[in-house]
Amino acid sequence: MLGFPILSLMLLVPLVGVTLILLIGGEEKIVRRNSRSVALIATLFNFILSIAMWLSFDPSTSAFQMVEHHPWIGDKIAYHLGVDGISLLFVVLTAFIMPICILASWEAIETRVKEYMIAFLLLETLMIGVFVSLDLFLFYIFFEGGLIPMFMIIGVWGGARRVYAAFKFFLYTLLGSVFMLLAMLYMFFTAGTSDIPSLMSYSFDADVQKWLWLAFFASFAVKLPMWPVHTWLPDAHVEAPTAGSVILAGILLKMGGYGFLRFSLPMFPLASLEFTWLIFFLSLVAIVYTSFVALAQEDMKKLIAYSSVAHMGFVTIGIFVFNTQGVEGGIFLMLSHGVVSGALFLCVGVVYDRLHSRDIARYGGLVNNMPRYAAAFMLFTLASIGLPGTSGFVGEILVLFGAYQASSWLAFIASTGIILGAAYMLYLYRRVIFGKLEKADLKGLLDLSPREIMIFAPLIFVVIWMGIYPAPILDVLHVSVSNLLEQFNAATGASVGPMTGLEAGGGR
Amino acid sequence: MYVTIVFLPLLGFLVAGLFGHRLGPRGAQIVTSGFLVIAALLAMIGFADVALGGHEYRIPVAQWVSSGELDFHWALRIDTLTVVMLVVVTVISALVHVYSIGYMSSDPHNPRFFAYLSLFTFAMLTLVTADNFLQLFFGWEGVGLSSYLLIGFWYERPSANAAAIKAFLVNRIGDFGFSLGILAIFLVFNSVDMQTVFDAVPDHAGSTFSFLGYQLHTLNTICILLFIGAMGKSAQLGLHTWLPDAMEGPTPVSALIHAATMVTAGVFLVVRCSPMFEYAPLALDLVIFIGAATAIVTASIALVQNDIKRVIAYSTCSQLGYMFFAAGVGAYGAAMFHLFTHAFFKALLFLGSGAVIHALADEQDMRRMGGLRKALPLSWSFMVIGTLALTGVFPFAGYFSKDTVIEVAWAAQSGLGEFAFVMGVAAALMTAFYSWRLIFMTFHGAPRAAAKVMARVHEAPKIMWLPLALLALGAFASGFLFSDLFVGDGRAAFWGSSISAHGDGVLEAAHHAPVFIKSLPLIMSIGGFLLAYQLYLRRPDLPGKLARTFEWAYRFLLNKWFFDELYDFLFVRPAFRLGHFLWRRGDEGVIDRFGPDGISKVVALLAARLRRLQTGYIYHYAFAMMIGLALILTYIVLQEGGL
């Protein structure tokens, strides 16, 4: 335990950054430079804090740590923060991705730099808030509030069809959050508390659980996103600036998965068990359907966006098989995907900054004059495919191990996604990187700049490290995940997988 | 020492890959080749220690993934089977490295090439030393990756890029089965550690488990799934189509990866899992059938191909088929023996053909060769040695290994064994025919290359001869030197417990086969030679006439039984069409139309000012959310106060 309230500090640091940026005045050029520097320093500082938090975390207990508890509204709603093994790493991931986003926007953003940096810093506070909140309403504020800066980032600094994209994003998420808020209210009045740890041990009536589960599901499914409420994602990605896409794919999507783990499984275990079939069905459709769609894409960002939907299908399968490998794999895959998809969007950003096109057909033969870029892109492509030795493999294989224990059909269909995943990613890579360098304007492109190398180096390191020595990450998860599953099994009275029935009924 | 053998190539890869541009081509060549030569020498010491000295080791390296009951470690499993593979991989790899110094001398991307070669070697070594199935899978995918990178090495060629992707994807289809097999192993045995699994196999003999809703024979199912992986990697019928295309890669790559080492990984897998396959009769039958069918089908395709490398590539598929059916009848030692000798003579043939291609300024079409014997006497003699070994002429290596393989098929005394025997003998005839056809079309007869090209034909530089000479030595001597250890009287002591001795009776029976059976392969070999001699040297007009007379058959073979066209029609084009359909009709046509777009139209109708709303949505949204929350909180506070 640290001697100071580290979680509050992590929420505060970006806000201090915001204040400082607001105070910056003077010449336009200086404002820009200083805003960037302040944002970078604030996010880096937060990253260091997150590492300190990780180091002082005790992985041998599933209890919440670094807890802060202050009364807030009445005596039932509190400012309650804390992390456990499940949320800790998401905080670290957020703090890790943020400075990279700031660096990635260093030269790409030229207009309203000040506001842009403010939006990102606000976003950081709100995202970290989601993962550390231990009060329903506090969580809700962070969870929904995070969308506001994201809307702005897309709507102000986005591409040509940004309004359409922001609008679509808005419609979907609004739908989800209305239901979630209603459910939260109901829970509050029924259980008499908005304290998340208390609610986790409160058992709701089985029928009520169903409705609550569905209400939360509406919100989380949109966030993840699950098929068929995924169509906002490709548009949002396409229109968002590079760093916006990185945050979107890297962290915002993970809130859905985190929500399932924090709310749906522990609070509505019976409903979770009952709706397993729905999750599996939607996830499998997502994996196969979006993989095929990704194969047909002509826009780089859209392709990667669709691949995200497919990967999230793996995540939801992992979470809802309710066994150690599945859940740990699901979490690991979310972390891995956060890094890898972020990196892939940055790869798109590199060429987009130079040529202002995301059209795959516009490129080809970049390996000739951008060998370093080609190497980095290759590594992230392989990680996305789930090649052993990269972070993607560990997550995918754990999910598959988990899935197979639930049902061989599940693992069978999910595995097809691995073949298709290789197909669309390698096909993308080939069209962009390989081939002859024939287009005149491509010949002038320069390889990665020192700033870009600084962006990619830590990502490359993390992808390989997570693939070869994932123990430090898995060790954090073990106790919390097994506690989650013990609680779940105790509540449902099911130590056998839920799929035994389906397995028998699946065919004869 | 064994850790050094495995990790030296990785070090070479890192040095050449990261600092290649600073080291320059020469530096990268020296570092990678030097490391490989050291690794090869160490591997030979290891061979003496383990295979001849009878030691076995298990060397833990580090923890990898641990989740619940799942616990993988990086560890090396060193037994006879491993060291045989270690010697094959490191020796061939070292020779190919050295050869490439000459072959790739004019290529501007030398450091990258050598880095990939070393990466491949590292991955292959982790594959053969794997102590658990997941580590095996790591190496398995690693070799697939390096193969992909090396096939597409000349990335400016569209055909090379296409071939690289094809290789990766077809292998992925195999991996699909392989990974399901590993998952099933974990479910059944609660472990993926090889020794634990193999020890527990007898307890599960004949048991059934539920797979895809069916109650299936446990071990049959697992072994068939593993074998699907092996079929992909070893290019067996159905999943073989990537291997001929893989010839788009530089020739040293074809020799190392697509002839001597990687493609034999499937055979290795089956042999490694022999304690499991022994209890999976149906899986073994499948192995025999696929192996025998591959041997004959791909040999038939090789009969009419005109690209020198493709002939050898189809020949490789065919020889891999031999290894599989030998393993299928239980004669694992025979399969490994053929793998061992084949590595030498097939690498020799590839590198020899590389010398020819090099001399003819990258010409690969045999119809534009001929009459090269005088100009390239060294290449000719090496190629002839390779051909003698491949066609099984005494006392060359193939005579010992291929004959054993055919004899064990006969000795299996089963219906499928007989099938494999007949196919093996027939394929032997074809092997001799296409091999000698290759020699005659390339080196004999009248030159068909342009005079300008012929004038510049020259032997390869000295640095390429040395590896060829050593391989020729292997192709000549590896048969009679090792026959006793691999399949002869010394086999029990040699193999120790590394392979299942269950099928040993077949090998014993094969030694007592009648003379007629024993001499059949050699008769076929001579027959094939005479046929090729008649058709391509004495009556060079005959092949054309035959092709015209039996045109449908000729077309059928020339187009490789239309596998590619069939797959393209069945899988590739529909996949893209389906993707397009789901995107345009599914996402945009249904989900968006009735989802957000539909709602937006309603909104537009109501408000008729959608455009002006623009980013105003954000504020509306934020506003709505905050107001809502404020109301709720007010209510709560009031209620609390009221209580």
Side-chain angles (χ1 to χ4, degrees):
Chain A
M1 276 290 176
L2 296 157
F4 54 91
I6 189 166
L7 299 180
S8 286
L9 193 61
M10 288 189 70
L11 295 177
L12 202 62
V13 167
L15 298 180
V16 172
V18 169
T19 320
L20 288 176
I21 291 178
L22 283 173
L23 292 176
I24 296 170
E27 233 179 288
E28 176 67 14
K29 229 175 93 183
I30 298 172
V31 172
R32 280 190 203 171
R33 201 186 60 208
N34 288 348
S35 312
R36 286 170 185 147
S37 308
V38 169
L40 184 62
I41 291 166
T43 51
L44 277 177
F45 186 69
N46 238 13
F47 176 57
I48 294 168
L49 282 178
S50 75
I51 297 293
M53 175 185 69
W54 188 356
L55 292 177
S56 62
F57 181 82
D58 175 10
S60 63
T61 167
S62 63
F64 286 99
Q65 302 181 32
M66 338 245 169
V67 175
E68 294 169 40
H69 194 289
H70 305 287
W72 182 28
I73 303 165
D75 56 354
K76 284 177 182 160
I77 300 180
Y79 175 78
H80 189 183
L81 307 180
V83 287
D84 66 351
I86 294 171
S87 55
L88 174 92
L89 292 165
F90 289 102
V91 179
V92 179
L93 176 71
T94 310
F96 171 68
I97 296 285
M98 281 310 293
I100 290 174
C101 286
I102 303 290
L103 269 179
S105 317
W106 210 257
E107 284 161 12
I109 301 297
E110 287 293 334
T111 52
R112 301 201 216 176
V113 176
K114 198 168 158 178
E115 290 80 359
Y116 182 86
M117 293 300 164
I118 291 174
F120 265 85
L121 289 173
L122 274 178
L123 194 56
E124 174 163 29
T125 295
L126 294 166
M127 290 189 302
I128 292 179
V130 167
F131 297 121
V132 300
S133 299
L134 293 181
D135 183 278
L136 271 189
F137 295 104
L138 195 60
F139 173 84
Y140 183 76
I141 291 173
F142 286 127
F143 189 81
E144 299 299 333
L147 297 175
I148 298 169
M150 199 64 218
F151 281 143
M152 290 194 201
I153 290 168
I154 297 176
V156 178
W157 293 274
R161 292 177 77 220
R162 57 182 184 263
V163 177
Y164 175 73
F167 162 72
K168 217 171 173 180
F169 186 26
F170 158 75
L171 263 185
Y172 271 119
T173 41
L174 180 72
L175 179 86
S177 59
V178 166
F179 287 117
M180 187 171 78
L181 184 61
L182 289 174
M184 284 181 166
L185 286 173
Y186 181 88
M187 288 161 73
F188 176 74
F189 288 117
T190 314
T193 178
S194 62
D195 189 50
I196 290 177
S198 313
L199 284 168
M200 283 162 84
S201 48
Y202 184 90
S203 44
F204 288 97
D205 190 56
D207 283 337
V208 174
Q209 277 194 23
K210 261 187 245 174
W211 294 106
L212 294 176
W213 189 92
L214 283 172
F216 276 84
F217 171 74
S219 182
F220 299 150
V222 168
K223 265 283 166 42
L224 254 173
M226 294 180 77
W227 187 85
V229 287
H230 65 282
T231 60
W232 63 271
L233 187 72
D235 285 306
H237 269 309
V238 163
E239 300 308 327
T242 301
S245 289
V246 174
I247 293 286
L248 198 56
I251 299 155
L252 284 181
L253 302 190
K254 310 309 179 280
M255 291 180 179
Y258 174 74
F260 281 130
L261 289 163
R262 182 61 77 226
F263 296 92
S264 306
L265 259 60
M267 296 182 194
F268 325 121
L270 295 172
S272 294
L273 194 61
E274 197 177 326
F275 286 115
T276 305
W277 65 270
L278 176 69
I279 294 278
F280 286 171
F281 174 73
L282 296 182
S283 307
L284 291 177
V285 171
I287 290 173
V288 177
Y289 178 109
T290 53
S291 295
F292 275 113
V293 174
L295 204 55
Q297 294 307 305
E298 287 138 20
D299 178 308
M300 287 196 243
K301 272 189 158 181
K302 266 199 178 169
L303 195 153
I304 300 169
Y306 276 110
S307 86
S308 291
V309 182
H311 281 114
M312 289 304 116
F314 275 94
V315 170
T316 40
I317 286 180
I319 292 174
F320 279 85
V321 293
F322 313 121
N323 55 44
T324 316
Q325 288 85 23
V327 175
E328 289 188 0
I331 298 173
F332 197 93
L333 192 56
M334 279 198 270
L335 298 168
S336 158
H337 180 263
V339 177
V340 173
S341 67
L344 284 170
F345 279 116
L346 287 169
C347 284
V348 177
V350 166
V351 287
Y352 185 78
D353 286 350
R354 287 160 170 72
L355 216 62
H356 298 284
S357 172
R358 294 177 315 265
D359 193 3
I360 296 172
R362 282 283 287 111
Y363 295 94
L366 290 182
V367 66
N368 288 291
N369 50 350
M370 304 177 74
R372 287 199 186 123
Y373 172 68
F377 199 168
M378 172 54 82
L379 180 78
F380 298 126
T381 300
L382 295 174
S384 172
I385 291 172
L387 201 83
T390 65
S391 58
F393 173 72
V394 179
E396 262 177 21
I397 198 78
L398 283 177
V399 167
L400 287 177
F401 270 110
Y404 190 98
Q405 290 168 59
S407 151
S408 45
W409 267 112
L410 197 59
F412 183 82
I413 300 176
S415 296
T416 58
I418 293 183
I419 303 177
L420 292 168
Y424 61 71
M425 285 310 292
L426 290 180
Y427 187 49
L428 167 72
Y429 190 83
R430 172 193 167 185
R431 285 179 291 169
V432 175
I433 302 290
F434 287 149
K436 274 206 174 74
L437 190 65
E438 279 166 338
K439 297 174 182 97
D441 51 353
L442 295 182
K443 288 182 183 157
L445 297 189
L446 295 175
D447 204 352
L448 298 181
S449 67
R451 179 181 59 85
E452 286 164 335
I453 292 176
M454 252 163 59
I455 295 173
F456 283 116
L459 292 167
I460 291 171
F461 169 77
V462 169
V463 164
I464 295 177
W465 166 58
M466 283 174 76
I468 293 188
Y469 189 61
I473 289 168
L474 291 170
D475 286 346
V476 170
L477 299 177
H478 291 325
V479 176
S480 292
V481 168
S482 68
N483 178 59
L484 172 75
L485 291 173
E486 272 164 32
Q487 301 288 328
F488 181 85
N489 287 334
T492 55
S495 58
V496 232
M499 296 301 294
T500 32
L502 194 145
E503 182 80 6
R508 55 202 65 90
Chain B
M1 181 176 87
Y2 297 99
V3 179
T4 320
I5 298 175
V6 175
F7 285 95
L8 265 181
L10 178 67
L11 193 64
F13 159 68
L14 291 174
V15 171
L18 294 176
F19 310 107
H21 53 289
R22 238 167 286 168
L23 286 172
R26 182 61 68 197
Q29 289 162 359
I30 291 171
V31 169
T32 52
S33 310
F35 282 173
L36 247 300
V37 170
I38 297 171
L41 293 175
L42 289 175
M44 287 180 200
I45 298 172
F47 184 82
D49 179 33
V50 173
L52 307 178
H55 296 110
E56 281 191 12
Y57 306 98
R58 187 184 175 279
I59 306 165
V61 179
Q63 194 201 32
W64 186 14
V65 180
S66 145
S67 170
E69 287 161 339
L70 205 61
D71 195 12
F72 316 135
H73 289 262
W74 296 103
L76 308 185
R77 178 190 171 96
I78 310 291
D79 56 14
T80 302
L81 183 59
T82 308
V83 289
V84 167
M85 291 303 287
L86 279 183
V87 167
V88 169
V89 173
T90 54
V91 168
I92 306 281
S93 178
L95 294 177
V96 167
H97 270 80
V98 173
Y99 177 90
S100 304
I101 294 176
Y103 191 83
M104 300 296 285
S105 59
S106 57
D107 194 282
H109 297 290
N110 255 282
R112 186 164 62 94
F113 182 77
F114 282 88
Y116 288 171
L117 276 190
S118 285
L119 174 68
F120 164 76
T121 313
F122 166 69
M124 189 71 203
L125 292 175
T126 52
L127 194 164
V128 299
T129 55
D131 182 56
N132 63 60
F133 285 99
L134 218 67
Q135 193 179 337
L136 184 76
F137 193 65
F138 174 89
W140 192 267
E141 294 290 285
V143 292
L145 165 68
S146 4
S147 162
Y148 162 80
L149 292 171
L150 282 164
I151 295 169
F153 182 76
W154 284 315
Y155 48 70
E156 297 203 334
R157 292 187 191 170
S159 55
N161 292 327
I165 292 191
K166 185 173 175 185
F168 198 96
L169 291 184
V170 174
N171 269 295
R172 272 265 151 153
I173 294 169
D175 297 346
F176 174 74
F178 190 16
S179 53
L180 281 176
I182 296 175
L183 298 179
I185 287 174
F186 179 66
L187 189 78
V188 172
F189 297 97
N190 220 0
S191 169
V192 288
D193 176 65
M194 285 181 180
Q195 200 53 51
T196 316
V197 170
F198 294 158
D199 289 345
V201 162
D203 304 339
H204 293 273
S207 70
T208 61
F209 76 143
S210 168
F211 184 74
L212 301 184
Y214 297 88
Q215 277 296 319
L216 297 176
H217 186 285
T218 312
L219 292 165
N220 270 337
T221 312
I222 290 176
C223 287
I224 288 173
L225 288 170
L226 294 180
F227 179 60
I228 291 172
M231 282 172 66
K233 199 59 82 194
S234 292
Q236 292 300 289
L237 203 59
L239 298 179
H240 69 286
T241 55
W242 65 272
L243 186 60
D245 287 17
M247 297 302 126
E248 286 290 341
T251 306
V253 173
S254 312
L256 175 62
I257 302 186
H258 305 122
T261 57
M262 183 186 84
V263 290
T264 62
V267 181
F268 169 79
L269 177 69
V270 171
V271 176
R272 173 55 93 201
C273 297
S274 55
M276 221 186 309
F277 275 85
E278 278 312 326
Y279 291 91
L282 192 67
L284 282 177
D285 285 351
L286 185 71
V287 173
I288 302 176
F289 177 74
I290 296 282
T294 307
I296 190 87
V297 169
T298 51
S300 75
I301 297 173
L303 295 176
V304 298
Q305 297 302 311
N306 292 316
D307 182 310
I308 185 167
K309 282 179 74 181
R310 281 186 190 240
V311 175
I312 311 179
Y314 278 107
S315 158
T316 305
C317 282
S318 170
Q319 297 302 311
L320 289 166
Y322 277 96
M323 296 174 208
F324 273 113
F325 73 67
V329 297
Y332 303 105
M336 286 307 294
F337 188 34
H338 196 50
L339 186 160
F340 183 73
T341 60
H342 175 259
F344 291 104
F345 59 71
K346 196 48 75 64
L348 176 65
L349 282 171
F350 263 119
L351 293 185
S353 73
V356 173
I357 295 167
H358 194 76
L360 286 176
D362 296 332
E363 180 59 68
Q364 300 195 8
D365 193 330
M366 295 192 296
R367 284 169 300 189
R368 286 193 286 276
M369 295 181 179
L372 291 169
R373 187 166 69 96
K374 290 249 164 55
L376 301 171
L378 266 174
S379 306
W380 175 80
S381 44
F382 286 135
M383 290 290 279
V384 168
I385 292 173
T387 301
L388 288 169
L390 171 62
T391 55
V393 175
F394 182 85
F396 292 87
Y399 171 80
F400 296 91
S401 60
K402 198 155 97 181
D403 283 20
T404 315
V405 167
I406 293 176
E407 284 160 20
V408 293
W410 173 83
Q413 301 289 4
S414 65
L416 271 170
E418 222 160 85
F419 170 71
F421 172 71
V422 174
M423 292 300 136
V425 170
L429 177 71
M430 293 182 182
T431 306
F433 178 80
Y434 66 66
S435 301
W436 289 110
R437 170 176 175 265
L438 183 150
I439 295 287
F440 297 147
M441 280 184 80
T442 311
F443 291 104
H444 298 262
R448 292 180 296 273
K452 218 163 51 175
V453 177
M454 281 306 284
R456 265 187 279 147
V457 167
H458 57 280
E459 277 288 8
K462 280 205 190 83
I463 193 139
M464 289 161 66
W465 294 355
L466 178 75
L468 282 170
L470 288 174
L471 286 172
L473 189 67
F476 173 68
S478 63
F480 59 78
L481 283 183
F482 291 97
S483 165
D484 185 56
L485 290 175
F486 276 79
V487 292
D489 296 335
R491 63 183 185 269
F494 178 74
W495 290 111
S497 61
S498 65
I499 59 173
S500 165
H502 203 268
D504 200 54
V506 178
L507 212 49
E508 194 54 47
H511 287 306
H512 305 295
V515 180
F516 170 67
I517 299 291
K518 274 181 182 289
S519 51
L520 207 49
L522 191 62
I523 296 170
M524 288 298 153
S525 175
I526 294 165
F529 169 78
L530 292 175
L531 204 59
Y533 183 76
Q534 177 73 15
L535 284 177
Y536 286 89
L537 280 190
R538 294 195 49 198
R539 298 281 309 276
D541 57 315
L542 263 183
K545 273 187 196 156
L546 279 173
R548 275 189 295 279
T549 318
F550 301 100
E551 194 175 347
W552 59 271
Y554 177 70
R555 292 250 147 254
F556 187 64
L557 292 180
L558 191 68
N559 288 301
K560 305 158 276 190
W561 291 44
F562 294 102
F563 270 104
D564 282 325
E565 287 74 8
L566 186 69
Y567 287 173
D568 196 50
F569 176 74
L570 283 182
F571 304 114
V572 182
R573 272 181 286 166
F576 280 97
R577 244 180 283 146
L578 179 63
H580 214 265
F581 173 81
L582 291 176
W583 176 30
R584 294 294 187 201
R585 293 289 157 89
D587 268 23
E588 294 182 352
V590 177
I591 298 174
D592 277 356
R593 196 165 145 222
F594 298 106
D597 291 358
I599 294 168
S600 92
K601 270 198 197 120
V602 176
V603 173
L605 280 174
L606 290 178
R609 45 176 226 194
L610 182 65
R611 268 168 198 288
R612 268 187 287 153
L613 283 177
Q614 299 227 351
T615 52
Y617 275 110
I618 297 153
Y619 307 113
H620 285 212
Y621 176 72
F623 187 67
M625 182 196 129
M626 290 301 167
I627 295 281
L629 201 65
L631 285 175
I632 290 151
L633 294 176
T634 316
Y635 176 74
I636 293 166
V637 173
L638 287 178
Q639 208 196 29
E640 295 249 321
L643 283 172

